[in-house]
Amino acid sequence: MDGTDKEINAAEYGAAPPGYDFLVIGHEGFGQVEAVGPNVTEVKPGDYVVATVRRPGNSIYDLIGTNDMTTDDTYYERGINLRHGYLTEHYVDDVEFIVKVPKGLKHVGVLLEPTTVVEKGIHQAYEIQRRLKVWRPRKAAVMGAGTIGLLATMVLRLKGLDVTTFARTTKPYLNADLIEELGARYISTKETSILDGAKQYGPFDLVFEGTGNSGVVFDSMQALGKNGVLVLASVTGGDKMIQIPADRINLEFVLGNKVMVGTVNANREYFEMGVGDMAQAEAEYPGWLSKLLTDPVKGLENYSELFKKLTSPNGAIKVFCEVA
Ligand code: BGC
Ligand code: ZN
């Protein structure tokens, strides 16, 4: 479960499928195959799997398997928008949307979907930077130290970048410890502003914004170095208004050839990348991923616990339900 589930439950985001007055939530799943149709060869009963979230619409991007890039006004996401999700004992789906997870990752399989959010964003950044005939990113910043911020820090560290992760909470803070275990730097913005942090440890070649707070985007734009790329991954259902130094930000973007890109999750390519990076993380930082699984809830009947944990500021990183 994540912030999206919180927003859905508060009726700020998402929609029920046509003909239903409820939505089965759950888009971060992990499960085991029980049965397959006669023509399915990709997975077999007993395999561990995660299903993707987006389902195809009608645009040209949907037709080539990149549903995450749809230009349709309506998008379909299991557990979020117009399609039921996975917080249930069983679900059925086309094997096209089912991604196999190796046995050795089954204890952390539920982290695959949030990992794909990060995989897509970072992959897009590298694709975009092919515009520079040579791009050797050395310094990255991550905004936010929730699940997405932690996983973004992990993926960037696996690429060998010097990573500075910013979030509000001051130390001692479990998430800050987890960041430092990856060999990254943690900065509390209560002590050091993003702009001061950027002066000290930047300028950043890549910034990944995953705080859920749109205001941080404009600080991120200023923390970004020349020729840098800023990836925006916060889904903000609100209507916040803020003042910003527009001329300065614009000027620095123009004179510095900077890029900013939005990223919404994710097609199966990124699920496959996520499996690869999670396996590498288990090899490089053994046991680290498991530490994100802070708040299990046993049994679907205890669903109200899920929301209690999700909304209470008790330091939970990942709240999840053990359905079976
Ligand atoms: C999910 C994504 C989804 C996005 C927008 C996120 O919470 O993880 O799969 O595309 O919300 O609805
Ligand atoms: Zn999500």
Side-chain angles (χ1 to χ4, degrees):
M1 311 256 306
D2 69 0
T4 301
D5 296 301
K6 219 192 296 183
E7 290 196 348
I8 294 170
N9 199 43
E12 289 165 8
Y13 189 67
Y20 289 85
D21 60 0
F22 63 89
L23 170 75
V24 176
I25 60 162
H27 62 279
E28 303 179 2
F30 172 73
Q32 204 167 17
V33 177
E34 288 225 336
V36 297
N39 296 326
V40 173
T41 52
E42 294 86 340
V43 293
K44 56 181 188 319
D47 283 352
Y48 295 102
V49 292
V50 169
T52 65
V53 178
R54 279 263 172 145
R55 291 296 171 269
N58 302 306
S59 82
I60 192 166
Y61 305 100
D62 297 271
L63 299 182
I64 61 162
T66 56
N67 323 325
D68 54 322
M69 291 303 211
T70 194
T71 48
D72 291 354
D73 291 331
T74 307
Y75 60 90
Y76 303 91
E77 290 181 341
R78 288 200 64 167
I80 301 176
N81 210 41
L82 304 170
R83 293 284 180 270
H84 287 313
Y86 309 123
L87 190 56
T88 161
E89 286 97 341
H90 296 94
Y91 65 83
V92 177
D93 216 330
D94 195 300
V95 72
E96 182 185 347
F97 306 116
I98 301 290
V99 181
K100 199 175 154 182
V101 176
K103 259 198 232 82
L105 288 178
K106 71 169 187 188
H107 56 300
V108 289
V110 74
L111 292 171
L112 178 55
E113 196 278 344
T115 302
T116 66
V117 172
V118 167
E119 294 290 347
K120 177 180 169 189
I122 294 173
H123 189 74
Q124 293 273 304
Y126 276 73
E127 285 288 287
I128 288 166
Q129 293 301 68
R130 291 208 230 170
R131 72 194 170 119
L132 305 165
K133 306 300 172 224
V134 52
W135 190 52
R136 296 205 185 124
R138 288 176 45 236
K139 296 181 181 180
V142 174
M143 304 304 171
T147 306
I148 294 297
L150 286 160
L151 291 169
T153 305
M154 176 191 91
V155 169
L156 292 166
R157 284 295 300 139
L158 290 175
K159 288 186 179 300
L161 274 75
D162 177 272
V163 184
T164 307
T165 301
F166 294 86
R168 262 187 316 228
T169 311
T170 49
K171 295 203 255 183
Y173 178 33
L174 169 64
N175 304 38
D177 296 344
L178 290 168
I179 300 275
E180 287 169 0
E181 280 176 34
L182 297 171
R185 187 177 298 110
Y186 178 81
I187 293 188
S188 159
T189 53
K190 282 191 186 139
E191 291 166 357
T192 307
S193 72
I194 290 175
L195 298 190
D196 284 344
K199 263 185 225 134
Q200 247 178 297
Y201 302 110
F204 301 114
D205 303 304
L206 189 157
V207 179
F208 191 102
E209 203 294 316
T211 58
N213 175 357
S214 54
V216 175
V217 168
F218 302 93
D219 282 343
S220 303
M221 290 172 82
Q222 297 173 73
L224 190 64
K226 289 202 173 75
N227 292 359
V229 55
L230 165 59
V231 180
L232 306 185
S234 292
V235 178
T236 48
D239 50 15
K240 174 187 262 167
M241 308 277 270
I242 58 165
Q243 274 198 327
I244 52 155
D247 275 344
R248 206 180 64 234
I249 294 177
N250 176 66
L251 185 68
E252 286 171 5
F253 249 71
V254 170
L255 298 183
N257 295 295
K258 304 185 193 183
V259 182
M260 176 161 74
V261 60
T263 176
V264 69
N265 209 32
N267 65 53
R268 86 170 282 134
E269 187 189 354
Y270 304 111
F271 280 73
E272 285 162 4
M273 284 180 197
V275 168
D277 273 346
M278 284 171 66
Q280 192 185 338
E282 278 292 89
E284 184 118 21
Y285 310 107
W288 186 86
L289 281 167
S290 309
K291 295 184 197 167
L292 272 51
L293 298 174
T294 49
D295 288 65
V297 170
K298 283 202 199 312
L300 266 183
E301 61 282 9
N302 296 317
Y303 65 91
S304 60
E305 272 294 298
L306 285 169
F307 283 101
K308 228 180 277 159
K309 285 176 182 287
L310 205 58
T311 43
S312 79
N314 69 345
I317 297 175
K318 189 47 83 186
V319 177
F320 63 104
C321 181
E322 292 171 347
V323 173

